[in-house]
């Protein structure tokens, strides 16, 4: 479990002020290949850059996974890098105090001897400073790479080159940065940090093979979306539809805002339809009895004969969610009137 070091209100205010001053000075010195926690840069830009490298023929990816990065940053090394950029000893002392503040757990404070406390405004900037040394080394070697926080992918032309790069960069990270690379990748994929980009996910996205490289939503991201929707609609049995929508709508809007960047609209259309089916099935369960189901369908404008036949059916909720009566009564327009967003605007 990853621990968060949430600062007090006063400490957060001070950290925010320090971060704003230092970021204006430091950000312009960071690598153009770094996209995380920087003004005017985003995860979408990082994914688009990775896509460009693949389209240029770099069909192998070296996936650098820094093990517990935020927990392992060496304080002395970090302060040495800060001292090269900051002359004011009072500010250096203040930053050191933030790093050593510790984490409270079960009412007891344990001191921090390494790592940058997550949850503080200053931590993202300090993490970029630590990894700027990695960026410069990768640039010096002429690699094509994209880094977002501690998620870094290097794109090469062959598997052999990928293993060679992985070995040498791991040595650099271990010896120079005093960090650890996690080489145990997901066993459901290739089991190795060097793989085709199509077998990897980067910031929730993956890529298609072939001449035209397209951005797609990584399967794990789709699975997480479905799992969350099932949780929300599963609770709809005991609460009003309005309550369900209050939880569902902001989640779908946020998800669309990020994953709408994909280039496979058919996936977004399919997921939107699937959400509507989940809601129809949830309402069908909520109505419970044939009598209530018939009355609800009639109220929604379904023809009497169709409403009666559907209400008396012994089929399950998921099967009937696709039935004509529910498609008519609980139409796309009906859900839209309740504020349910589409994951793809044109569907």
């Amino acid at each position: 479990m990853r621990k968060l070091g949430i600062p007090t209100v006063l400490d957060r205010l001070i950290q925010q002020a320090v971060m704003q001053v230092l970021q204006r000075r430091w950000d312009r010195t960071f690598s153009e290949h770094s996209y995380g926690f920087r003004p005017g840069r985003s995860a979408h830009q990082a994914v688009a850059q990775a896509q460009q490298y693949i389209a240029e023929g770099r069909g192998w990816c070296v996936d650098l996974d820094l093990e517990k990065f935020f927990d392992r940053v060496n304080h002395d090394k970090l302060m040495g890098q800060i001292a090269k950029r900051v002359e004011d000893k009072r500010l250096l002392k203040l930053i050191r105090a933030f790093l050593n503040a510790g984490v409270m757990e079960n009412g007891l404070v344990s001191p921090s001897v390494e790592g940058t406390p997550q949850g503080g405004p200053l931590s993202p900037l300090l993490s970029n400073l630590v990894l700027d040394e990695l960026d410069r080394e990768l640039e010096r070697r002429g690699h094509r790479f994209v880094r977002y926080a501690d998620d870094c992918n290097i794109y090469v032309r062959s598997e052999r080159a990928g293993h060679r790069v992985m070995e040498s960069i791991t040595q650099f990270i271990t010896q120079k940065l005093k960090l650890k690379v996690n080489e145990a990748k997901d066993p459901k994929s290739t089991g190795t940090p060097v793989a085709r980009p199509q077998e990897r996910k980067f910031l929730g996205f993956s890529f298609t093979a072939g001449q035209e490289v397209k951005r797609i939503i990584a399967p794990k991201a789709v699975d997480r979306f479905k799992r969350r929707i099932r949780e929300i609609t599963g609770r709809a049995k005991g609460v009003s539809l309005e309550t369900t929508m209050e939880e569902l709508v902001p989640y779908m809007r946020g998800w669309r805002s990020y994953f709408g960047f994909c280039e496979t609209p058919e996936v977004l259309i399919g997921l939107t339809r699937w959400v509507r089916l989940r809601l129809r099935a949830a309402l069908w369960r909520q109505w419970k009895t044939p009598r209530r189901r018939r009355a609800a369908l009639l109220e929604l404008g379904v023809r009497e004969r169709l409403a009666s036949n559907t209400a008396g059916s012994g089929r399950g909720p998921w099967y009937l969610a696709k039935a004509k009566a529910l498609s008519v009564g609980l139409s796309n327009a009906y859900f839209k009137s309740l504020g349910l967003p589409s994951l793809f605007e044109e569907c």
Side-chain angles (χ1 to χ4, degrees), residues 89-322:
K89 295 190 182 301
R90 292 172 300 175
L91 181 55
L92 292 173
K93 186 177 180 180
L94 180 63
I95 295 174
R96 169 71 83 166
F98 286 140
L99 292 174
N100 294 336
V103 176
M104 179 176 288
E105 189 175 12
N106 297 324
L108 299 176
V109 177
S110 55
S112 302
V113 295
E114 62 179 356
T116 58
Q118 291 185 77
L122 194 56
S123 293
L125 180 62
L126 296 181
S127 69
N128 271 334
L129 179 61
V130 172
L131 292 176
D132 187 59
E133 194 171 353
L134 172 62
D135 296 339
R136 298 309 177 186
E137 179 65 16
L138 292 172
E139 288 176 349
R140 188 185 67 79
R141 299 185 186 192
H143 291 309
R144 303 294 188 271
F145 71 98
V146 183
R147 183 178 66 78
Y148 190 96
D150 58 336
D151 197 348
C152 182
N153 282 2
I154 307 170
Y155 296 90
V156 296
R157 295 187 182 276
S158 69
E159 184 178 12
R160 184 178 179 182
H163 286 293
R164 186 174 64 247
V165 168
M166 182 67 191
E167 184 178 353
S168 62
I169 292 300
T170 297
Q171 188 176 13
F172 173 82
I173 292 173
T174 303
Q175 296 180 358
K176 194 71 188 284
L177 300 185
K178 308 300 181 185
L179 297 171
K180 185 177 180 180
V181 176
N182 183 10
E183 298 186 43
K185 303 305 292 182
D186 185 354
K188 293 182 179 179
S189 57
T190 61
T192 170
V194 180
R196 293 288 189 181
Q198 296 77 26
E199 299 168 346
R200 285 277 172 261
K201 66 178 179 67
F202 181 55
L203 301 177
F205 291 89
S206 189
F207 306 94
T208 60
Q211 290 185 338
E212 185 180 3
V213 179
K214 290 185 177 181
R215 299 183 296 270
I216 63 174
I217 304 172
K220 282 189 175 181
V222 174
D223 290 343
R224 282 194 299 270
F225 173 81
K226 287 189 171 183
R227 187 162 57 248
R228 180 63 178 140
I229 296 299
R230 287 190 183 101
E231 290 175 2
I232 296 173
T233 56
R235 292 194 291 269
K237 183 179 178 180
V239 299
S240 67
L241 182 59
E242 290 73 16
T243 301
T244 299
M245 297 299 288
E246 286 175 3
E247 190 173 6
L248 186 62
V249 169
Y251 177 74
M252 287 186 65
R253 282 178 179 163
W255 202 86
R256 180 184 66 188
S257 176
Y258 186 76
F259 287 104
F261 187 60
C262 75
E263 296 176 309
T264 49
E266 63 276 6
V267 175
L268 300 176
I269 293 171
L271 287 174
T272 303
R273 290 172 177 166
W274 179 80
V275 171
R276 293 190 192 114
L277 288 175
R278 290 286 308 178
L279 286 170
R280 288 173 185 141
L283 285 171
W284 191 252
R285 291 189 187 94
Q286 194 177 82
W287 294 335
K288 293 183 179 180
T289 66
R291 184 177 178 179
R292 288 183 60 188
R293 288 168 175 170
R294 180 180 180 277
L297 291 174
L298 290 174
E299 188 177 347
L300 289 167
V302 179
R303 289 183 291 108
E304 185 174 355
R305 183 175 179 180
L306 181 58
S308 298
N309 290 340
T310 306
S313 173
R315 297 280 190 172
W318 186 247
Y319 180 90
L320 290 173
K322 305 171 188 176

